[in-house]
Amino acid sequence: MVRILAATDFSEEGKPVLDFTAEMVRKCGGKMYLLHAVEPCMMDAAGCMAADDMLGGFSGMPPMEIDDQTTTILAMADKRAKLLAEQISRQWDIPIYGKAEEADDIVECVHDFCRRHNINILVIGNRHHSLLSSILLGNTAEKLVRAAKIPVTVVPCGPKTSV
């Protein structure tokens, strides 16, 4: 059975990655996996954000310790990944496993997930960044491709593209 992973950042721009992966799984069979890597900056931000801000403006939330806030961010991201997987599963009538994981390094997190779940194909998005940001920060899609041990499909994402 083929296992295909779609890496997602939950953005609207990244939706073509999810649609492309779901269509591929539907056509060739197998199972789709969806992964959201929670970056350290989100974890660090939990220590300086009010609980109301962090939880999307829900008022009346009690103050939380930093460890509770980081756990809440991971739990919220994981819940969102699972809900998104359920929606895509219903829409495309395919089996999907959704997960969010803490990532000190996004590239390492994605490839580790692929190893643990015996993923055969990785599908990622590539946004159109400015030359300066690509030079200074690098490009996550490029890093994922360079470190890959399995085939990677790169789907164009962002306002300049359409599926």
Side-chain angles (χ1 to χ4, degrees):
M1 168 174 63
V2 68
R3 296 167 182 245
I4 305 174
L5 172 63
T8 182
D9 62 0
F10 297 138
S11 71
E12 193 60 35
E13 289 178 332
K15 191 172 180 326
V17 171
L18 303 175
D19 290 338
F20 180 89
T21 307
E23 185 174 359
M24 191 167 30
V25 169
R26 182 191 242 175
K27 286 181 179 177
C28 66
K31 185 173 183 179
M32 178 175 169
Y33 292 73
L34 181 149
L35 175 66
H36 175 73
V38 180
E39 297 179 80
C41 62
M42 283 301 296
M43 305 303 283
D44 293 342
C48 62
M49 292 175 73
D52 287 355
D53 294 337
M54 186 182 60
L55 297 174
F58 294 124
S59 59
M61 291 296 297
M64 290 188 266
E65 296 296 322
I66 291 173
D67 287 343
D68 292 340
Q69 290 177 345
T70 56
T71 301
T72 300
I73 287 175
L74 284 172
M76 289 171 54
D78 195 54
K79 183 176 180 179
R80 187 170 181 189
K82 287 175 176 18
L83 288 171
L84 183 57
E86 288 175 17
Q87 291 170 352
I88 296 168
S89 179
R90 280 193 305 271
Q91 178 184 351
W92 289 88
D93 193 29
I94 58 172
I96 301 178
Y97 172 76
K99 181 74 176 148
E101 294 186 357
E102 182 178 353
D104 289 330
D105 179 293
I106 291 176
V107 173
E108 189 177 302
C109 177
V110 170
H111 289 303
D112 181 58
F113 185 93
C114 289
R115 281 188 296 276
R116 286 183 288 133
H117 295 277
N118 298 313
I119 300 297
N120 306 105
I121 301 169
L122 171 61
V123 181
I124 59 174
N126 188 31
R127 294 204 179 108
H128 301 283
H129 295 290
S130 70
L131 179 60
L132 181 60
S133 69
S134 291
I135 291 170
L136 295 175
L137 303 173
N139 181 310
T140 303
E142 180 182 340
K143 291 174 187 174
L144 282 163
V145 170
R146 286 180 189 226
K149 303 273 192 256
I150 59 173
V152 179
T153 300
V154 181
V155 177
C157 295
K160 296 181 182 177
T161 63
S162 61
V163 172

